[in-house]
Amino acid sequence: NTVYLERGHIYLLYGAESSGGDAKGNKVFIDGGLVSNRNQNGYGGVNGGNASKSALENVVSITRGKVNAYVYGGTGSLKANENKVLISGGEIVGSVWGGSSDDEAKGNLVEIEGNPNLTAASLFGGDAPISLNNTLSIKTSGLVVQQIGDFQNLNFDVAQAVGSTPLLKVIGNQATNIKNTIVKVTLDKNAIPL
């Protein structure tokens, strides 16, 4: 499935909802409009694919617009693997997860480039008891977020650096633990990580 939002105001935007199997290979594109919570209980958000079993290889791409709610690459009871959230513009107020599962979240990606407004957003990789090889990729400069977590890989493209401006600044009150995170710095897209 492929879903596009370019204008208007909605509460739920899902690539797929599977009540008896997997959600695989679905895509959600947001290039305008507003996704927000319907009420104070947080009903509303974006999800590449939600499954009673596994969410695999789903993609959420945000280039413009505003999300005032959660964003998931994919959610599944058994597995949430190889899902992607690609953000290159717009504004997000809320939490972003590459993948979330009751059991396993592996190989999920949250990638940031361009000039999105994420000052009120928190970024998470794989939310699961088994969380492996989840990546936050920063391909921009001056990114400000509230919190990051559940990433095993943190990749910076320093070709995007501007003067002494930090590539990433975390301003929230929550503790940020990257003790077991592999940090890679790449000079350009053709270079070998340092």
Side-chain angles (χ1 to χ4, degrees), residues 122 146-147 170-177:
S122 297
Q146 287 292 315
Q147 184 184 8
V170 180
I171 62 172
N173 295 324
Q174 302 91 340
T176 298
N177 183 358

Side-chain angles (χ1 to χ4, degrees), residues 113-183:
E113 59 182 339
N115 190 33
N117 182 352
L118 302 180
T119 57
S122 297
L123 309 178
F124 302 99
D127 177 28
I130 301 173
S131 180
L132 298 171
N133 199 33
N134 299 288
T135 300
L136 173 60
S137 178
I138 306 296
K139 297 182 176 181
T140 187
S141 181
L143 180 66
V144 179
V145 302
Q146 287 292 315
Q147 184 184 8
I148 63 171
D150 298 322
F151 292 105
Q152 290 75 50
N153 304 298
L154 182 54
N155 297 345
F156 292 98
D157 181 359
V158 297
Q160 307 302 320
V162 178
S164 60
T165 302
L167 296 177
L168 172 65
K169 186 176 182 180
V170 180
I171 62 172
N173 295 324
Q174 302 91 340
T176 298
N177 183 358
I178 60 169
K179 180 179 179 180
N180 296 315
T181 302
I182 298 172
V183 179

Side-chain angles (χ1 to χ4, degrees), residues 3-14 28-38 42-47 60-62 64-72 91-94:
V3 179
Y4 294 91
L5 176 65
E6 296 181 345
R7 62 180 65 88
H9 178 194
I10 62 175
Y11 302 107
L12 286 173
L13 185 64
Y14 279 36
V28 175
F29 295 96
I30 300 176
D31 192 39
L34 170 65
V35 182
S36 71
N37 290 319
R38 183 186 294 270
Y43 175 79
V46 179
N47 196 327
V60 173
S61 174
I62 301 172
R64 288 191 300 177
K66 182 175 181 178
V67 179
N68 190 12
Y70 64 75
V71 178
Y72 286 98
E91 179 182 2
I92 298 175
V93 178

Side-chain angles (χ1 to χ4, degrees), residues 28-114:
V28 175
F29 295 96
I30 300 176
D31 192 39
L34 170 65
V35 182
S36 71
N37 290 319
R38 183 186 294 270
N39 55 44
Q40 295 179 346
N41 294 325
Y43 175 79
V46 179
N47 196 327
N50 181 52
S52 61
K53 291 185 178 180
S54 296
L56 308 169
E57 301 173 12
N58 300 290
V59 178
V60 173
S61 174
I62 301 172
T63 53
R64 288 191 300 177
K66 182 175 181 178
V67 179
N68 190 12
Y70 64 75
V71 178
Y72 286 98
T75 53
S77 294
L78 299 179
K79 297 180 181 180
N81 294 349
E82 305 295 334
N83 301 288
K84 297 179 180 180
V85 178
L86 311 175
I87 304 170
S88 59
E91 179 182 2
I92 298 175
V93 178
S95 295
V96 176
W97 285 269
S100 180
S101 170
D102 294 335
D103 186 18
E104 174 185 295
K106 296 181 180 179
N108 298 290
L109 171 69
V110 176
E111 182 177 279
I112 314 296
E113 59 182 339

